[in-house]
Amino acid sequence: MSITVVKPGLLTTAQDPGRPGYAHLGVGCAGAFDSPAFRLANALAGNPPDACALEITLLGPTLEFRADTWIALTGAPVAALVDGRPAPMWAPVCVRKGSTLAFGAMQQGCRAYLAVHGGFDFEPVLGSRSLDVNSGLGPLGRPLRHGDRLETGSGSFLSGKEKVRGQDDPGAISWSIDPRPWFDTDQGRPLRLMGGTHARLLDPKSRAALYAQDFRIAADSNRVGCRL
C-alpha cells in the first residue's frame, strides 16, 4: 500500500525508536521526540512498538491513500480531516482507498504522530528508519516533500464488521485513549534543571548563574536542542 504526499506540512519526518549506540562515530540517535505518544500511535494502529511512523511538527501534511488502511494519531492536539470529516485522535481510524487526510495547525504543543497499520516501509539506515534532520541520514535524507510516495505494510487487525463501520464513518469507533496522562495542557509549568554529563565542565560561578536565573525557551529551538 502506498500514500502520496499532496502537501508536506511544516516539518514531517519518518521516525522510529532511533539508532542509539553510534555516538562514538558522530552519528546521532534521532528517533521519535515524544516516545510515549509514538508508541501509543503504533499500538492503536496495530503495529509493534518499533514500527516507523510520521512525526508532524506544528503544521501537518495532506496525504492521499491508495488503499484501505487503519491509522492512529496521537500527541499534540491537531485538527485532522478525512475527506472533510473530522477524524478523532487517540483512537483507531479507518481510511478508505482514494481518501485524503488533511491536517491543520497545532494550537498547543509541537509534535504529533501518525501511525499506519503495517508501518512506513523505508529502507533502514544503521538499523533505523528515523531521519536525522541535521545530517540527512535516514529515509529520503530529508523531511517529506510534495509528490513523495510512501510505501507501507499491509494487513488488517480488526474484524470485518468493525472494518466496515470504520470505512463508513472515520469517527464510528466509539472508544479512544484518554490523552490527559500523555499530554500536559499546562503551558505555564516550569521545568526542573538537572546536571548532566557536561555539568562538571562549568566553573563554580557559571554553575551558580545557571541554577539561580530564570530562562525561557527561544523560538529558534528544534527537535535536537532547546536554545535558552
Side-chain angles (χ1 to χ4, degrees):
M1 198 272 285
S2 66
I3 298 172
T4 300
V5 178
V6 180
K7 296 180 180 178
L10 182 63
L11 179 67
T12 307
T13 63
Q15 299 294 338
D16 63 12
R19 54 178 67 83
Y22 295 97
H24 65 294
L25 300 177
V27 178
C29 179
F33 191 91
D34 185 346
S35 182
F38 164 79
R39 295 197 305 269
L40 287 168
N42 271 324
L44 289 166
N47 293 335
D50 60 347
C52 183
L54 293 184
E55 183 178 270
I56 300 165
T57 304
L58 294 177
L59 177 65
T62 298
L63 307 171
E64 184 177 341
F65 289 73
R66 301 297 184 181
D68 297 343
T69 191
W70 289 90
I71 67 170
L73 179 65
T74 63
V78 58
L81 302 175
V82 177
D83 294 334
R85 294 179 296 177
M89 295 186 66
W90 305 92
V93 176
C94 189
V95 179
R96 292 186 291 180
K97 178 181 179 180
S99 291
T100 298
L101 172 63
F103 291 92
M106 298 174 190
Q107 302 302 315
Q108 286 182 302
C110 186
R111 294 175 180 86
Y113 293 86
L114 174 66
V116 175
H117 184 54
F120 289 91
D121 191 18
F122 294 104
E123 186 69 26
V125 178
L126 295 178
S128 172
R129 293 179 170 88
S130 289
L131 173 67
D132 186 320
V133 177
N134 283 353
S135 68
L137 187 69
L140 305 175
R142 53 170 173 75
L144 297 191
R145 291 178 183 169
H146 166 73
D148 284 341
R149 186 165 178 165
L150 314 177
E151 299 297 330
T152 72
S154 60
S156 176
F157 69 104
L158 296 178
S159 70
K161 182 178 180 180
E162 288 171 311
K163 186 174 181 180
V164 170
R165 289 179 63 233
Q167 288 177 345
D168 290 340
D169 179 3
I173 293 179
S174 59
W175 61 269
S176 63
I177 293 178
D178 183 354
R180 289 174 295 182
W182 313 105
F183 185 81
D184 189 352
T185 58
D186 184 357
Q187 298 188 39
R189 188 186 301 275
L191 301 178
R192 291 182 59 197
L193 179 63
M194 301 177 65
T197 55
H198 297 92
R200 60 181 177 80
L201 300 179
L202 298 175
D203 60 34
K205 183 177 179 180
S206 295
R207 282 198 296 270
L210 180 63
Y211 286 95
Q213 297 181 10
D214 291 334
F215 294 87
R216 291 184 179 273
I217 296 177
D220 56 346
S221 301
N222 58 26
R223 71 185 313 275
V224 178
C226 295
R227 185 180 298 277
L228 304 179

